[in-house]
Amino acid sequence: VRTVPPAMPAAKARSLMRTDRIHHLVVVERGRVVGVLSARDAGAVRDGRPVRELMAKPVVTIEQDATVRKAANAMRGRTIGCLPVTSGSRLVGIVTTSDLLDVIGGAQGRPSQEERHTLNYKSAHRSHRRRADTGVW
């Protein structure tokens, strides 16, 4: 989980999301979760604006021992894209819509993109040249 302080410039937070290829940052102040900044929120960046002006608050969190169903219902009922996961008051993770889709789609047991094997076989195919007289491919 990537965290940022509320005083961080929003442009810097947006850059961090792009670099790390993530869509959500948890905003933490004095060890407490105070908001969430999504890529959509940060997309409205105006020069010099701090994260605190763009973050979603109040933040909805979920305890680490909660069920996937409870997390999905919390997100669906509030139309939010992520939930910070806590143990007591301590931040321990984050659940995103993509995580839930992976669970539903069964991607947890599937090999990663790098581990998948390419099928190498030949099949009959049509010529990809357009016939000049008909305009048909």
Side-chain angles (χ1 to χ4, degrees), residues 68-101:
V68 171
R69 176 175 284 190
K70 185 173 182 177
N73 285 333
M75 291 169 69
R76 183 183 56 183
R78 294 171 178 84
T79 61
I80 54 178
C82 75
L83 284 172
V85 180
T86 57
S87 176
S89 62
R90 188 172 62 97
L91 178 67
V92 295
I94 191 169
V95 175
T96 67
T97 304
S98 294
D99 296 328
L100 295 176
L101 290 173

Side-chain angles (χ1 to χ4, degrees), residues 1-22:
V1 180
R2 295 291 296 201
T3 62
V4 295
M8 175 183 272
K12 186 174 179 181
R14 174 99 169 134
S15 176
L16 179 65
M17 282 189 254
R18 284 184 183 157
T19 301
D20 290 354
R21 295 181 173 178
I22 57 176

Side-chain angles (χ1 to χ4, degrees), residues 13-106:
R14 174 99 169 134
S15 176
L16 179 65
M17 282 189 254
R18 284 184 183 157
T19 301
D20 290 354
R21 295 181 173 178
I22 57 176
H23 300 282
H24 301 92
L25 295 170
V26 179
V27 184
V28 177
E29 186 171 43
R30 288 184 236 129
R32 242 185 66 223
V33 176
V34 294
V36 171
L37 183 72
S38 72
R40 284 185 188 169
D41 299 332
V45 171
R46 307 282 189 279
D47 286 338
R49 292 180 73 182
V51 166
R52 81 169 43 84
E53 289 181 17
L54 301 172
M55 69 183 188
K57 58 185 180 201
V59 67
V60 178
T61 63
I62 193 162
E63 282 291 317
Q64 70 178 0
D65 59 352
T67 64
V68 171
R69 176 175 284 190
K70 185 173 182 177
N73 285 333
M75 291 169 69
R76 183 183 56 183
R78 294 171 178 84
T79 61
I80 54 178
C82 75
L83 284 172
V85 180
T86 57
S87 176
S89 62
R90 188 172 62 97
L91 178 67
V92 295
I94 191 169
V95 175
T96 67
T97 304
S98 294
D99 296 328
L100 295 176
L101 290 173
D102 284 348
V103 170
I104 293 168

